[in-house]
Amino acid sequence: MEVYLQKKFTGHRKLPQILGLTASPGTGGASTFEKAVDHILMICANLDTWRIMSPQISIKDLEAKVKQPIKQYDLVPERDKDPFGDKLKELMTTIHQYLGEHEFNTDFGTQMYEQKVVEMEKHGAETVDRRKRTCAMHLRKYNDALFLHDTVRMKDAYDFLEEFYILEKFVKDSRDETDVFLYRLFNGNSNELLELSSNIEYENPKLKRLEEILEKHFQSSSNSRGLIFTCTRQSTTYLLQWINSNESLKGLNIKAAILTGAGSNQSKHMTQNEQKDVIQKFRKGFLNLLISTSVAEEGFDIPECNIVVRYGLMTNEISMVQARGRARAEDSCYSFLAKSGGRESQREMTNESLEDLMNQAIKYVQNIPEREYQEKIKHLQRESLTERMMKQAKEESKKKFSASDVQMDCRNCPAAVAYGSDIRVVEGTHHVNINPEFKVYYEEYTEPVDLGKKMEEWVPGGAIRCHFCKENWGMMMIYRGMTSLPILSIKNFVLKTPEGRQTCKKWKAVPFHVERFNFSSYNKGYFSDSDDE
């Protein structure tokens, strides 16, 4: 649409028609009527919208055909006591004390704490403070375990941590003082954690309520179809394990599977083919319950469900409307399951108010006189184009170093392994190192990665990692069947520039220009900064 608007204002006549369909434009984070109207107008400007159309005359017929589900708040009290969670927090406090920190954020198990730990890891990487960086990574895993403890079983949180430490020990086998301390800390307390996780007296009360909901809806009808929305890929896996092992649910003919999005460092992702296969089985009745992340809220053709559960989620009004729209069967139920008095239930109630605000804003925009509306849209479009040009100029100004002056260090070691001038971009997306000497710094340690789709000119190889510290770096690419090139993830490196060290989350943020990959030049055995096609 950015290209479309540029063409529109430079006199192009043959512009395509744009049709936008949505049940939930949202409020854009607005909490006032005026701001919500501004948000709707901005959407209209971005899409060059002539008019917002919605059912008017036939609204009664629509409501009769598409019935809204019955909404219920299934709120449960917190655990009376939480010895397992308390023990995890005690170990996190020990790690902070090991770092010499006596004043730190103790809001363990929250998004706010996670953000603090992410910043700590970044600062450790940029200042070559391996102790701080390593501790931050482990603190994040403990925080993830607390998330799981709040979502699924204590056993699942324990298994998650145990698997992490087994993998760390197996892959890295480090003798570093910090690694040894962190391994010993977990191993020295693992038996106590395992024992605490087995005490059903302190089990998650949300699971008992979920069990009751599933019993009610799958006992009453053999044709029941359900969707459970949860926050992470990890929790979908553990919820599936809980359902399959739950004695009370075994006689209900529940055939469950998970449905998640693609790509993650936290847990295994699904390929597009796997997603299609699960949805096809759900459509044909081979499956009757999907446990999903937000990926199933929209974009997939999923049959109507008679029970939709939003399990402990704190999202916006758009997610609420989209998830509710999955409960389209006759006499369907939409359940919001969360802790009583928690932030999740408060947010869900706020979302209901925001949905009303969204509908009011849409109706107001629909009633703006045509001439006034067109003037507002053109003004917003010109402002938007100007802002984009300024943003692009700002981004270009950040590319202030020569690629050969930027050194790339492993984020974990940190060994100096490459220069910016070694990097090329393939198909505008994949960043590879074309320096043949780079191969001494990495090792390929897995079978070829399954991306779930075919690329035109290349196929994936195995995952690669640092030769020295075993930190994951990316994967191999076999280009045109004859050239192997390492694809690198920039977030696994630290850039050493003439002005200091910095990290980047994405390649587009690096402070130098990356040249396009020229296969013919590379195949002749040479490359340079000027081998652009």
Side-chain angles (χ1 to χ4, degrees):
M1 289 309 301
E2 183 178 341
V3 174
Y4 170 97
L5 290 176
Q6 287 173 343
K7 287 187 174 183
K8 176 184 176 179
F9 282 100
T10 51
H12 281 69
R13 293 184 179 181
K14 291 186 178 181
L15 292 171
Q17 282 190 313
I18 310 298
L19 174 65
L21 302 172
T22 181
S24 51
T27 61
S31 57
T32 65
F33 176 73
E34 291 77 14
K35 293 289 185 183
V37 168
D38 289 344
H39 170 70
I40 299 298
L41 283 170
M42 195 71 244
I43 292 176
C44 292
N46 288 338
L47 295 177
D48 198 30
T49 307
W50 168 66
R51 186 173 294 173
I52 301 177
M53 306 302 292
S54 61
Q56 302 290 335
I57 299 171
S58 305
I59 189 71
K60 296 295 183 185
D61 291 337
L62 176 69
E63 289 172 351
K65 287 280 187 184
V66 186
K67 297 184 185 298
Q68 290 294 309
I70 299 166
K71 182 171 183 177
Q72 62 187 45
Y73 278 87
D74 289 295
L75 304 180
V76 299
E78 287 198 65
R79 295 174 171 97
D80 291 331
K81 292 181 180 179
D82 186 14
F84 179 79
D86 291 341
K87 186 63 182 179
L88 290 178
K89 293 173 183 177
E90 178 190 315
L91 298 181
M92 294 169 81
T93 300
T94 302
I95 295 173
H96 279 287
Q97 291 171 343
Y98 173 75
L99 285 170
E101 298 178 354
H102 300 289
E103 292 184 10
F104 48 88
N105 186 330
T106 56
D107 200 10
F108 301 136
T110 65
Q111 292 283 355
M112 187 178 296
Y113 179 79
E114 181 175 322
Q115 290 169 8
K116 294 286 185 184
V117 171
V118 168
E119 284 299 313
M120 183 195 297
E121 188 278 334
K122 179 183 176 184
H123 184 262
E126 292 178 346
T127 57
V128 203
D129 188 339
R130 191 180 185 281
R131 172 184 281 208
K132 175 182 280 190
R133 179 180 181 271
T134 305
C135 285
M137 290 172 60
H138 286 245
L139 284 168
R140 186 171 183 183
K141 291 296 178 181
Y142 277 101
N143 204 56
D144 286 344
L146 282 172
F147 278 136
L148 286 170
H149 172 53
D150 186 54
T151 307
V152 284
R153 298 170 295 184
M154 294 181 286
K155 170 188 178 299
D156 301 321
Y158 174 81
D159 288 347
F160 167 76
L161 269 182
E162 184 184 46
E163 183 182 344
F164 167 71
Y165 277 100
I166 289 173
L167 195 62
E168 279 285 291
K169 187 72 175 172
F170 174 74
V171 172
K172 294 184 177 177
D173 192 26
S174 174
R175 299 290 186 272
D176 179 84
E177 174 195 330
T178 303
D179 289 325
V180 171
F181 165 77
L182 292 166
Y183 296 150
R184 286 178 177 173
L185 179 66
F186 176 76
N187 290 335
N189 290 276
S190 60
N191 288 337
E192 184 181 352
L193 282 169
L194 180 60
E195 185 179 343
L196 289 171
S197 71
S198 305
N199 192 335
I200 59 173
E201 182 183 351
Y202 305 116
E203 196 49 277
N204 193 336
K206 286 190 286 193
L207 289 173
K208 183 61 180 174
R209 186 70 189 104
L210 179 60
E211 179 185 306
E212 293 167 357
I213 293 168
L214 293 176
E215 281 181 331
K216 177 182 176 181
H217 288 277
F218 281 89
Q219 267 179 347
S220 60
S221 172
S222 59
N223 297 320
S224 288
R225 271 200 181 99
L227 253 174
I228 300 172
F229 287 102
T230 185
C231 50
T232 66
R233 293 179 178 88
Q234 293 158 350
S235 56
T236 62
T237 301
Y238 290 124
L239 278 173
L240 177 63
Q241 291 175 5
W242 171 76
I243 288 170
N244 289 338
S245 63
N246 188 300
E247 291 297 329
S248 299
L249 300 178
K250 281 187 176 177
L252 300 180
N253 195 34
I254 294 177
K255 297 166 287 188
I258 63 174
L259 178 62
T260 63
S264 172
N265 289 328
Q266 295 291 319
S267 57
K268 187 181 182 299
H269 67 271
M270 291 185 79
T271 66
Q272 290 180 349
N273 288 336
E274 288 171 336
Q275 290 174 338
K276 290 176 183 176
D277 184 52
V278 166
I279 293 170
Q280 190 71 3
K281 287 179 179 177
F282 190 66
R283 185 177 291 116
K284 291 182 176 180
F286 298 119
L287 297 171
N288 57 13
L289 179 64
L290 296 184
I291 307 158
S292 179
T293 54
S294 59
V295 70
E297 288 175 354
E298 52 185 317
F300 286 115
D301 182 16
I302 295 175
E304 57 192 29
C305 299
N306 61 301
I307 174 64
V308 170
V309 181
R310 296 229 311 150
Y311 186 80
L313 293 180
M314 188 164 69
T315 56
N316 61 19
E317 72 279 8
I318 293 177
S319 290
M320 181 191 75
V321 172
Q322 294 289 352
R324 188 182 65 204
R326 293 301 188 186
R328 298 193 299 266
E330 189 77 20
D331 298 324
S332 57
C333 174
Y334 169 81
S335 164
F336 183 81
L337 202 168
K339 285 187 295 188
S340 180
R343 290 174 295 177
E344 297 90 349
S345 57
Q346 293 170 9
R347 178 68 208 194
E348 184 74 2
M349 293 174 187
T350 299
N351 288 341
E352 292 178 1
S353 301
L354 292 176
E355 184 186 4
D356 291 338
L357 186 64
M358 173 188 78
N359 291 328
Q360 292 170 29
I362 291 169
K363 190 171 183 180
Y364 176 84
V365 171
Q366 286 177 316
N367 292 327
I368 295 175
E370 186 174 346
R371 187 169 181 177
E372 180 186 345
Y373 171 81
Q374 292 297 340
E375 287 175 356
K376 286 179 180 289
I377 294 302
K378 282 187 178 179
H379 175 70
L380 286 170
Q381 287 175 340
R382 292 188 187 280
E383 272 193 345
S384 180
L385 284 173
T386 302
E387 284 177 12
R388 286 192 178 106
M389 288 170 64
M390 291 174 65
K391 186 178 179 181
Q392 287 172 358
K394 187 177 180 181
E395 289 296 321
E396 283 299 311
S397 69
K398 292 179 181 178
K399 310 287 185 183
K400 53 187 176 181
F401 302 117
S402 168
S404 58
D405 290 336
V406 179
Q407 178 180 296
M408 295 173 61
D409 297 348
C410 174
R411 188 164 183 145
N412 190 54
C413 297
V417 295
Y419 283 92
S421 52
D422 299 332
I423 307 300
R424 295 292 184 274
V425 61
V426 178
E427 297 177 356
T429 305
H430 312 289
H431 291 75
V432 299
N433 188 316
I434 63 172
N435 190 335
E437 296 178 8
F438 182 62
K439 62 185 177 184
V440 302
Y441 296 109
Y442 70 86
E443 55 190 41
E444 191 173 353
Y445 69 103
T446 71
E447 294 297 314
V449 177
D450 181 10
L451 298 179
K453 56 183 179 180
K454 290 186 177 180
M455 305 299 173
E456 284 189 16
E457 298 205 80
W458 64 279
V459 295
I464 61 173
R465 63 189 181 190
C466 176
H467 178 74
F468 307 105
C469 71
K470 314 306 180 187
E471 180 78 2
N472 181 57
W473 280 357
M475 60 182 279
M476 293 302 293
M477 158 196 289
I478 295 87
Y479 192 74
R480 295 187 182 177
M482 55 195 298
T483 304
S484 292
L485 295 165
I487 304 177
L488 303 179
S489 172
I490 188 60
K491 62 185 178 183
N492 295 323
F493 297 88
V494 178
L495 303 181
K496 187 177 180 182
T497 75
E499 292 182 359
R501 295 168 62 83
Q502 69 177 78
T503 56
C504 297
K505 290 182 179 180
K506 297 182 179 180
W507 276 104
K508 66 180 182 181
V510 298
F512 59 90
H513 283 286
V514 179
E515 303 287 347
R516 285 185 295 168
F517 178 64
N518 185 325
F519 179 71
S520 58
S521 294
Y522 180 81
N523 219 30
K524 290 173 185 173
Y526 68 90
F527 59 93
S528 69
D529 284 343
S530 58
D531 68 356
D532 205 2
E533 291 178 23

